[in-house]
Amino acid sequence: MKILAILYNGFKAAEEEPRLLGTVENKLGLEDWLKSQGHELIVSSDKEGPDSVFQKNIVDAEVLITTPFHPGYLTRELFDKAKNLKICITAGVGSDHIDLNAAVDHKIQVLEVSGSNVVSVAEHVVMSILLLVRNFIPAHEMIERGDWQVSDIARNAFDLENKVIGTIGAGRIGYRVLQRLVPFDPKELIYYDYAPLPAAAAEAVKARRVEDLKEFVSQCDVVTVNCPLHEGTRGLVNDELLSHFKKGAWLVNTARGAICDKDAVARALASGQLAGYSGDVWDVQPAPKDHVWRKAKNPLGGGNGMVPHYSGTTLDAQARYANGVRSILENYLSGKPQEPQNIIIGLGKYETKAYGQR
Ligand code: NAD
């Protein structure tokens, strides 16, 4: 059987650190096991264009493994060419780089390692909220420059205590973010999600659901985005929605870059409508060198907490999603049923309720 994996290069780091499992070099720890069973494993980071390893090998691969950190974009056109493909496995969480509607039409399953990096991301969200609200990055940059002017930092630094913090999406990550924010004594925690939290879960974090998105954002000092990217969330945070934000709100997006309109966010930051924007996800990845989010700033020259896509690929997370990919493969190879929570697309239908209301 031919198994194709599109992963990111680790280069020297992957040679020195074997726990960087999700790299081309370390192959999710699958190589010896798959080879011992006589399978062919092709691993590459080369994913763009018709001559890429990805596009050349997708035509006869039976299993495709991809990762959201270096997404192999599986378009409908590539599905049409992928004559042997049976299953797509996402090493991580978030399969929007696969055309899921095309997967339904082609009866190709799509699975994720659900839950594998949700704590990793929730911790990054809390860190990102804090670094924006407390104006941390300009403060650190000042120190590296050799300067010292406390008032230039303090004029835009606040406490998280007594702020209203809201999450768009209160699934595994969104809920864990809410749990981790409780000890900061926010004024209120609120959420926007078509799936209400179970009453006991909402009560445990004292989160209030707001059903109208504009009303929701207008109440938040901090908005964090934690929903999947699908037809209903692409470009959700645009000029119009940003105009309903509180002036000077902070926005954190570790969900997917394309949920936020990049130019609208940069404009809102430049005008001071947003005091800060932070996250690790970009549309597309790797982000082009001239992507507007690399250098976008608020009127005081700060408010940018952008990093490359790594919140969900800590070494702890890599161990979990590498194990998860292996167990999905074991189930597939032995004909055992898959864990229901990992199935995004089953044979010809959406099994998850998280990728939009259908
Ligand atoms: P989940 O399935 O547990 O939760 C997603 C929640 O979003 C669900 O409650 C769903 O009802 C809600 N939702 C869907 N569409 C919505 C909409 N239009 N408005 C409001 N809520 C909506 O998923 P999760 O594990 O919490 O992960 C969420 C997303 O985070 C993933 O799909 C992925 O895109 C992203 N993610 C990023 C990283 C990273 O490294 N940056 C890592 C893991 C996941």
Side-chain angles (χ1 to χ4, degrees):
M1 178 185 308
K2 180 164 174 175
I3 299 163
L4 173 63
I6 302 300
L7 302 172
Y8 58 85
N9 287 315
F11 299 119
K12 186 162 174 271
E15 280 160 29
E16 291 174 2
E17 179 47 85
R19 290 173 298 176
L20 276 169
L21 283 167
T23 55
V24 169
E25 292 79 0
N26 295 329
K27 302 178 176 53
L28 291 161
L30 295 172
E31 189 174 35
D32 292 346
W33 171 59
L34 286 174
K35 287 211 167 136
S36 73
Q37 305 217 348
H39 300 300
E40 183 188 4
L41 175 65
I42 294 176
V43 185
S44 177
S45 66
D46 182 25
K47 66 189 181 78
E48 304 300 337
D51 293 330
S52 62
V53 174
F54 176 39
Q55 295 203 14
K56 281 209 283 213
N57 285 282
I58 196 67
V59 295
D60 61 350
E62 179 168 337
V63 177
L64 173 68
I65 300 171
T66 55
T67 174
F69 307 103
H70 182 74
Y73 296 101
L74 190 58
T75 59
R76 184 174 284 276
E77 198 190 356
L78 287 179
F79 266 112
D80 292 341
K81 294 185 183 157
K83 298 293 180 214
N84 281 351
L85 189 62
K86 297 278 187 319
I87 180 170
C88 300
I89 305 173
T90 299
V93 173
S95 301
D96 50 277
H97 56 285
I98 310 272
D99 184 329
L100 296 176
N101 294 327
V104 169
D105 296 342
H106 284 79
K107 296 201 166 42
I108 293 167
Q109 302 178 69
V110 180
L111 284 94
E112 296 180 354
V113 190
S114 293
S116 56
N117 53 15
V118 295
V119 167
S120 322
V121 180
E123 289 184 2
H124 193 98
V125 172
V126 174
M127 174 186 75
S128 297
I129 292 173
L130 281 168
L131 66 84
L132 289 183
V133 171
R134 304 200 59 89
N135 208 18
F136 178 85
I137 290 176
H140 179 71
E141 287 169 347
M142 173 183 282
I143 287 303
E144 289 205 15
R145 278 198 311 274
D147 294 342
W148 184 285
Q149 190 53 51
V150 173
S151 55
D152 283 352
I153 302 302
R155 67 181 292 183
N156 205 24
F158 298 84
D159 297 341
L160 192 52
E161 181 180 64
N162 214 23
K163 301 295 183 290
V164 177
I165 311 166
T167 175
I168 300 178
R172 294 178 185 88
I173 296 174
Y175 188 70
R176 280 165 180 76
V177 170
L178 296 175
Q179 284 179 314
R180 281 157 181 74
L181 289 171
V182 170
F184 288 93
D185 292 327
K187 186 172 191 180
E188 200 179 15
L189 294 175
I190 61 180
Y191 75 99
Y192 171 82
D193 195 318
Y194 54 72
L197 283 169
E203 175 53 28
V205 295
K206 306 230 172 328
R208 175 170 63 90
R209 182 174 174 220
V210 180
E211 289 189 47
D212 180 85
L213 183 57
K214 288 176 192 159
E215 243 175 65
F216 166 84
V217 296
S218 73
Q219 296 173 28
C220 292
D221 297 298
V222 180
V223 174
T224 152
V225 185
N226 298 295
C227 57
L229 173 64
H230 53 76
E231 301 93 321
T233 58
R234 185 175 291 276
L236 187 69
V237 183
N238 52 23
D239 284 311
E240 222 284 301
L241 189 68
L242 284 161
S243 73
H244 294 274
F245 275 54
K246 270 192 192 174
K247 179 143 181 87
W250 298 276
L251 175 59
V252 173
N253 173 19
T254 53
R256 283 296 176 259
I259 296 173
C260 296
D261 176 326
K262 67 178 177 9
D263 297 312
V265 164
R267 278 192 289 274
L269 201 53
S271 73
Q273 175 62 8
L274 285 179
Y277 182 78
S278 182
D280 67 333
V281 284
W282 308 71
D283 179 30
V284 296
Q285 293 182 181
K289 280 209 167 17
D290 62 352
H291 194 292
V292 65
W293 286 352
R294 287 184 186 263
K295 291 187 176 164
K297 293 282 189 316
N298 66 23
L300 294 173
N304 184 329
M306 289 306 293
V307 292
H309 191 174
Y310 84 102
S311 69
T313 187
T314 59
L315 294 182
D316 299 297
Q318 296 198 34
R320 291 188 293 261
Y321 64 68
N323 274 334
V325 168
R326 178 163 172 154
S327 60
I328 290 170
L329 270 173
E330 279 171 348
N331 291 339
Y332 178 73
L333 294 171
S334 64
K336 280 204 208 116
Q338 299 286 355
E339 300 285 338
Q341 77 269 12
N342 288 341
I343 310 175
I344 304 303
I345 305 294
L347 279 179
K349 63 180 173 54
Y350 277 82
E351 292 292 346
T352 175
K353 293 190 166 55
Y355 279 78
Q357 291 170 291
R358 297 158 207 279

